[in-house]
Structure formats: C-alpha cells, structure tokens
Amino acid sequence: GVQDSERADAPQRAERGDRDRAPRRLTVGGAEVYTLEEAAEAGGIGELAYDQHGCRFLQEQLEHAPHKSLLLILDPVLAELPGIMTDAFGNYLCQKVVQYASPAQQLRFVSAMAPFLADVSLNVHGTRAVQRLLECLRCEEAEQVVAAALEPRVDELILDLNGNHVVQRCMATLGGGRSAFVVEAVERRFEAVGTHRHGCCVLQRCLDNADGEDKERLVQRVIDHTPTMIADQYGNYVVQYVLQMRDPELAMRVVRSIRGSIADLACQKFSSNVVEKCLTAGDAACTAAVVEELLDPDRIGTLLHDPFGNYVIQRVLQVGTQDQLRLMAERVVPHSASMRTTLYGKRIQAKLVKQFPQLAAGNERRR
C-alpha cells in the first residue's frame, strides 16, 4: 500500500520539480517537444501559439521565467503578427508577452504591430490584446507609436463594437497629452458620438480623463447639446454623467439649458430620467428651478397621469421642501378623482395624505 501511494505521488513530485517540461503532449511539425528550448530549436513557437495547450504552455513559461522565456518567444511572436493577435488562443500569449516585456521590448512589439493596430482593435480577440498592451506600456515612445497608429482611424474605432474599448483604454492609459487625438475626434463629431451606443461610452471616458481646458470644453459641449441629447436613448446617459459630477454649478447650467421644456421632457422615456437626476444633482436653487416647472398648474395634471412623468413627481415628493410639497398638495386637489384610477396616482395621493392629513377629508367630500 505504501509503495502504491509513493508511485501515485511520483508524477506530482516530478511536475513540481520540473516546471519547464510541458504537462501535456505537444507536437511541432509532427514531432513531440517537452521544453521551451526544444520548441524554439525546432522553430515551433509560432505553431504552439495557435494551439490551445501549446499557447497555455508558453504563457506558463513566461510566468515562471519571464526574462529567459522572452528571449525565445518574442521574435517568433513578432514574426506571426498580426494574425497571432486576432487568434482565439494566440491573443492571450500576446497579452502575456507585453505584460512581461521590458520597455525596449514593448517598443519593438508596438513598432512591428503599428501598421495593423487599427484592424486588430476592430477584431473580437484583437481588441482584448490591444487593451492589455495599452495597460502594460511603460515606454513613452511606444505610447506615441500607438497613438500615431490609431489616430487616422479613430472615428471608425469610436463607433465600433470592439474598437471603442481600445479608444476608452487610450483615454485611461496614454499620458502626456498623447490621448488628445481622441478628444479632438469626439469634438469633431460631438452629437453623432454622444448619441451612439458605443460613442457615448467613449465620451464619458473623455469626461473622466480629459484635463483642464479640454474637460471644460467637453462639458460645455454636453450642456450646449443637452436639449437634443437628453431625449436620445444614448445621449441621455452623457447628460446624466455630467450631473453625476455632483457640481451644483454644472447642474444649474444643465437645468438652464432646458428651462421652459422641463415638464415636457419629464413625460418622455429617456429625458424623464435626466429630469429626475436634475432634482438631486444640484443645490436647493437647482431643485427649486425644476420643481417650479413641474408644479405649473397647467402641466401637473398631465404629469400625474403620465407613465413617465408620474415617477418624476414621486421624486419631488422625496426631495421637495415642505413649502414645495404643500404647493403640490394644493395643485393636485383638482385631479384627485382621476388619480384614483391609476396605481401610480393612488401612490402619489397616499404619500401626500400621509404628510397632509387634511387632504383626506377634502378628497372624501369630492367623491
């Protein structure tokens, strides 16, 4: 029994003692290889990179002995560009290579990759490798190469399902003004970008990472375009993003841009969410400016019965001052009978009665 146990443990001890050997059967050109050195000598690094188990073996070698392994792996990987970066398995090896590469090696990698970088960024596998590359770069010259390679096609990348993630990562990682080409591209086609499924995400990353004058200019562009973006299924998220900066002055600038239309916007699917945000993002003056339009006697009846507007009114119940809620209670009295016909109308009525019990008596007299 003891001998059987020792025999069973022997393979595990051997594997722990020799990490350089492949744990699975690997073949290069039909011949078995067992170590990284054997694979390199047979000229098979590129072949292994496209194989699930071979690619995993190469990644493990990089994790175990980065410097030694890169000397054998880097050149064969560069020879396989750009195909290896868009391969379902090879892209993971590229991510490991750039993670462990020295700044000089990273520069070699991006210089070889530059002519293909935009196309690779548009690929479902390649986008992940390029994003990882951007995260790992420790060389200013390499960052310049990447920016120069992506800039000619940045408009296409911003609106692409895969490419937009690369552009977002550029904003988050490229330093020294090297991401300026993204901000310039967004400004050139501001409304088209801000109202696009992927473009709106890029714009939000620009708001996160732009500095000084660039950021203020972008914020002002959002405010200038708020009247149209606020009702858009994607643009409304950009306006909300500015409101989430929790700057009372900014929130008031947004509210001023839609003054006179707030009640109408509260009755639309996408803009109603922004109007709700306006109630909570600014100071008391900002909230009061919004509430004033919502409680307009000529508009409150519509809001109370609207499938979107009623939620905005319910938000007023949460954030309004006592005077504002008292005014609301007075303004809803003429609509009390019709409010009882909808679930949300009953909910609003119940909340008001809880705060102003005298309303209950008035409602009874009107039945």
Side-chain angles (χ1 to χ4, degrees):
V2 173
Q3 289 179 334
D4 289 343
S5 176
E6 288 178 350
R7 279 197 295 271
D9 290 341
Q12 295 178 12
R13 290 200 304 272
E15 186 177 336
R16 286 195 298 269
D18 188 6
R19 295 184 193 177
D20 294 336
R21 295 183 66 81
R24 291 175 179 268
R25 180 176 178 271
L26 300 176
T27 60
V28 170
E32 286 193 33
V33 294
Y34 298 95
T35 66
L36 179 60
E37 288 75 13
E38 288 179 7
E41 188 176 340
I45 299 295
E47 183 179 339
L48 291 178
Y50 293 97
D51 174 76
Q52 181 177 5
H53 302 304
C55 181
R56 186 171 297 152
F57 169 68
L58 295 176
Q59 291 177 67
E60 289 167 353
Q61 298 309 298
L62 284 167
E63 292 168 356
H64 174 51
H67 179 71
K68 170 187 167 186
S69 300
L70 273 168
L71 294 175
L72 298 174
I73 293 175
L74 181 59
D75 285 338
V77 165
L78 294 179
E80 293 292 330
L81 292 175
I84 192 171
M85 283 191 81
T86 57
D87 182 73
F89 304 122
N91 83 89
Y92 291 107
L93 177 61
C94 293
Q95 292 181 49
K96 285 292 182 186
V97 166
V98 297
Q99 177 183 343
Y100 290 111
S102 67
Q105 290 169 326
Q106 289 180 344
L107 180 57
R108 283 189 64 201
F109 190 97
V110 299
S111 297
M113 192 62 221
F116 321 105
L117 200 58
D119 284 325
V120 169
S121 299
L122 297 169
N123 178 268
V124 66
H125 301 301
T127 182
R128 298 180 184 277
V130 178
Q131 289 174 65
R132 186 62 176 153
L133 170 66
L134 286 161
E135 289 172 0
C136 295
L137 286 182
R138 303 188 303 280
C139 171
E140 290 185 8
E141 191 177 350
E143 289 191 0
Q144 291 168 355
V145 172
V146 170
L150 295 177
E151 182 173 5
R153 295 177 63 185
V154 65
D155 291 342
E156 178 185 4
L157 291 164
I158 286 172
L159 304 185
D160 183 75
L161 171 65
N162 301 308
N164 83 89
H165 296 291
V166 170
V167 180
Q168 290 186 55
R169 203 57 55 94
C170 285
M171 285 305 306
T173 60
L174 297 181
R178 287 180 285 278
S179 61
F181 73 98
V182 177
V183 176
E184 291 167 5
V186 167
E187 288 191 280
R188 276 198 308 271
R189 305 173 62 209
F190 191 84
E191 192 162 332
V193 169
T195 56
H196 187 273
R197 176 192 295 270
H198 307 306
C200 72
C201 300
V202 173
L203 177 47
Q204 289 173 58
R205 293 296 79 72
C206 289
L207 290 168
D208 279 339
N209 296 285
D211 295 320
E213 292 182 4
D214 285 347
K215 183 168 186 173
E216 173 54 34
R217 202 166 57 249
L218 285 172
V219 168
Q220 186 57 51
R221 293 293 294 277
V222 174
I223 292 168
D224 291 342
H225 287 81
T226 289
T228 51
M229 291 177 71
I230 191 174
D232 182 78
Q233 59 179 327
Y234 304 118
N236 82 91
Y237 290 113
V238 177
V239 182
Q240 289 189 60
Y241 206 74
V242 169
L243 292 170
Q244 286 167 1
M245 293 177 179
R246 297 295 175 184
D247 181 329
E249 194 268 335
L250 274 185
M252 183 58 90
R253 284 162 63 188
V254 171
V255 169
R256 288 195 193 106
S257 75
I258 55 173
R259 287 296 292 267
S261 305
I262 291 175
D264 287 331
L265 293 168
C267 294
Q268 296 178 38
K269 180 177 181 179
F270 302 114
S271 54
S272 63
N273 294 318
V274 185
V275 174
E276 277 195 60
K277 193 81 71 178
C278 288
L279 286 166
T280 58
D283 55 18
C286 183
T287 303
V290 179
V291 171
E292 180 184 0
E293 288 198 32
L294 296 174
L295 299 188
D296 183 319
D298 295 329
R299 305 311 306 274
I300 192 169
T302 300
L303 289 163
L304 289 168
H305 298 91
D306 186 81
F308 304 112
N310 83 90
Y311 288 107
V312 180
I313 293 296
Q314 290 185 58
R315 180 68 68 180
V316 174
L317 286 170
Q318 295 174 352
V319 303
T321 64
Q322 196 69 9
D323 287 342
Q324 289 167 345
L325 296 184
R326 190 175 290 108
L327 179 61
M328 180 191 289
E330 294 172 5
R331 298 273 168 89
V332 303
V333 166
H335 309 282
S336 56
S338 59
M339 286 172 68
R340 288 194 292 270
T341 63
T342 64
L343 182 61
Y344 40 81
K346 290 177 183 176
R347 187 177 297 125
I348 293 169
Q349 208 166 43
K351 289 179 179 177
L352 283 170
V353 166
K354 189 174 181 180
Q355 282 203 277
F356 304 100
Q358 64 271 25
L359 278 178
N363 289 340
E364 285 298 321
R365 286 195 296 273
R366 285 176 175 78
R367 284 183 184 273

